[in-house]
Amino acid sequence: MWDQFTNDTCLPKEEFPCSARGYPAYVVNATTPEHVKLGIDFGERAFAFYIKVLTNSLVARTHDVRLVVKNTGHDYMGRSIAPGGLSIWTHHLNSIRHHVGPFKLDGCDTSIPGNAVTVGVGAQMYDIYSATDAFNETIVGGGGKSVGIGGYVTGGGHSILAPRFGLAADQVLQMEMVTPAGKILTVNENQHPDLFWAVRGGGGSTFGVLTAVTLKTYPTPKLLSTAWMAITDPDASFLYDAIAYALSQFPSMGDAGLSGYTYITSRLPNPVPSPGVPEELAGVLGQFVLQETEDVQSLQNILKPINQTIQERWSGAVQVITSTKPYSSFLAWFEDHYDQGTAGNSSYLVSRLLDRHALESDEATLANAVQEAMSISGALGAYIVSGKGVHNASPRGGSNAVNPGWRTSYVHTRFPALQRNRKDRDY
């Protein structure tokens, strides 16, 4: 997904030389947990398997070869590549099995009310959404069609549904995994509870290799979706003040039930040129949803005071545009709004979790922070993917290893800390 982690050894351009030196020397195409075990046990010389904590990488137990796990490759830090290492490819562990009624945990008498779905870690979001939609249900899942469930859950897993239901890691009922010792385990709140706690949010490939996950499902919600844009001239002196005001409203929007994704830009070609509108735009471009309602007025009531304040402060210099559409199911909404970003970029991304205090306490400080964050690429992603559902989540076993910052934050931001700009990267 991010080509700099292979040291540009094989770029998708015919005139570039292609070498395998930036990629693993060995790959196990795992289609069963036993294949994962064989990869971990690779070789003959048995010595202790260990974890390199600082590099977040595993080492193959019998040959001292660096071991990495690759599912779909959606890793912003390049940890699924490992030049010269051994790659366990879990992409084809992609089974999907729906459970109706209480789900009984392995190794105990505990049954958990409600429906569930057990998916192989290679199962991708669009396939899971489609399978559960057949039962008029859905899961808390990612925004890209090809995101795999394994790395997503171990990272915590935010979603446009998370402010209502909690993070993906909060939905996990049970997991199957292969440990560094090569043991195939089923972990839940009663069986290996330490691993069950750690893997849910504790980081991909850190405690072992996941092979399957059982998740709680929910009746698919109806959604009111609105495109909301607050745009102005890129050279406006008040640009970052206007952006900061919009961001400062995100906690109250979240408390009112809105969730969504926004793209903040300091300069963007106008995608729909029209008379009287600048050729380039700047500001906040958002896609918000309100769940389980068909009342357009309720959505407008949330946005109305924000729109009015923008007009009062900047008296027509900031244009607010909205467009609302209802959807009968989450899958129907996702079909129109899945992440269509491209791979093959050369950015080093960082992110921040922003709580109410960071967003509401001082707009001037927030404006300066936004300007600094956008100084490299001129863009910032700000997602309302936390809120009451995440703050008040009750994961199985009482808690999990999700970053505690999620329990107070409202917004997850993402922006480049460093972006390579090379003329030969026009592919």
Side-chain angles (χ1 to χ4, degrees):
M1 187 173 184
W2 304 95
D3 50 31
Q4 70 267 25
F5 296 112
T6 64
N7 293 322
D8 307 318
T9 50
C10 195
L11 300 179
K13 205 172 184 183
E14 290 184 1
E15 57 267 34
F16 274 60
C18 188
S19 165
R21 293 182 64 185
Y23 295 89
Y26 313 96
V27 179
V28 176
N29 181 11
T31 57
T32 69
E34 287 73 21
H35 292 165
V36 175
K37 173 179 169 56
L38 287 171
I40 290 177
D41 290 342
F42 173 66
E44 298 177 356
R45 185 163 49 92
F47 54 78
F49 185 101
Y50 60 95
I51 298 175
K52 290 183 177 177
V53 178
L54 294 179
T55 60
N56 194 30
S57 63
L58 303 178
V59 180
R61 177 156 51 93
T62 57
H63 266 312
D64 198 19
V65 177
R66 182 184 175 194
L67 175 66
V68 294
V69 183
K70 181 174 182 178
N71 186 3
T72 62
H74 286 264
D75 191 330
Y76 291 158
M77 298 180 69
R79 292 167 296 184
S80 60
I81 296 176
L86 168 63
S87 172
I88 296 182
W89 194 32
T90 60
H91 187 63
H92 294 294
L93 288 164
N94 56 8
S95 61
I96 301 175
R97 185 159 51 101
H98 186 255
H99 307 281
V100 177
F103 179 79
K104 186 178 183 302
L105 299 180
D106 283 11
C108 63
D109 294 328
T110 302
S111 291
I112 300 172
N115 294 353
V117 63
T118 297
V119 296
V121 291
Q124 298 178 47
M125 292 300 162
Y126 185 70
D127 296 329
I128 302 173
Y129 293 151
S130 298
T132 52
D133 188 74
F135 298 92
N136 294 316
E137 296 175 4
T138 193
I139 64 164
V140 174
K145 284 187 174 182
S146 60
V147 171
I149 197 71
Y152 173 73
V153 166
T154 57
H158 68 59
S159 164
I160 202 166
L161 301 180
R164 182 181 177 196
F165 297 121
L167 298 170
D170 300 328
Q171 318 305 320
V172 177
L173 309 183
Q174 185 164 277
M175 312 173 98
E176 181 184 72
M177 64 182 295
V178 184
T179 70
K183 294 182 179 180
I184 301 173
L185 302 179
T186 298
V187 303
N188 54 47
E189 62 198 73
N190 297 313
Q191 189 167 269
H192 310 291
D194 53 348
L195 283 173
F196 184 60
W197 178 88
V199 175
R200 293 174 297 158
S205 304
T206 307
F207 300 96
V209 182
L210 276 183
T211 55
V213 182
T214 300
L215 300 158
K216 180 178 177 60
T217 62
Y218 293 93
T220 186
K222 295 180 180 179
L223 301 175
L224 268 180
S225 180
T226 185
W228 183 87
M229 295 188 293
I231 52 178
T232 188
D233 188 319
D235 298 319
S237 60
F238 54 79
L239 172 61
Y240 292 101
D241 295 327
I243 291 173
Y245 168 72
L247 287 173
S248 74
Q249 300 306 298
F250 281 11
S252 62
M253 292 165 69
D255 287 344
L258 282 186
S259 57
Y261 305 108
T262 62
Y263 178 76
I264 299 172
T265 176
S266 61
R267 191 171 298 272
L268 179 74
N270 186 353
V272 187
S274 57
V277 179
E279 293 183 359
E280 293 183 315
L281 305 174
V284 181
L285 295 80
Q287 186 65 237
F288 301 113
V289 301
L290 191 61
Q291 298 182 47
E292 291 298 16
T293 181
E294 296 178 339
D295 182 10
V296 175
Q297 188 61 49
S298 62
L299 181 58
Q300 293 175 343
N301 289 342
I302 297 172
L303 296 175
K304 183 177 178 180
I306 300 171
N307 298 343
Q308 287 179 337
T309 300
I310 289 174
Q311 295 306 318
E312 290 169 1
R313 286 195 185 183
W314 294 286
S315 60
V318 178
Q319 186 176 4
V320 177
I321 303 171
T322 61
S323 175
T324 302
K325 181 179 178 179
Y327 289 90
S328 61
S329 69
F330 173 77
L331 180 62
W333 177 87
F334 186 79
E335 295 271 13
D336 285 347
H337 299 99
Y338 64 90
D339 181 4
Q340 299 182 43
T342 58
N345 299 304
S346 299
S347 299
Y348 294 89
L349 295 181
V350 298
S351 65
R352 295 289 185 271
L353 296 174
L354 304 180
D355 61 12
R356 183 182 295 276
H357 177 77
L359 291 164
E360 292 184 348
S361 62
D362 187 335
E363 286 185 32
T365 299
L366 182 59
N368 290 335
V370 170
Q371 185 171 7
E372 179 67 22
M374 296 172 64
S375 63
I376 294 174
S377 67
L380 172 72
Y383 315 133
I384 305 178
V385 288
S386 188
K388 294 178 181 178
V390 178
H391 301 168
N392 301 323
S394 299
R396 301 301 305 184
S399 66
N400 55 29
V402 163
N403 186 330
W406 278 108
R407 306 309 181 187
T408 57
S409 66
Y410 282 87
V411 172
H412 174 244
T413 60
R414 189 190 74 173
F415 53 93
L418 177 65
Q419 185 161 342
R420 301 194 305 168
N421 295 308
R422 285 174 41 184
K423 293 181 180 179
D424 56 9
R425 306 190 140 273
D426 58 355
Y427 52 85

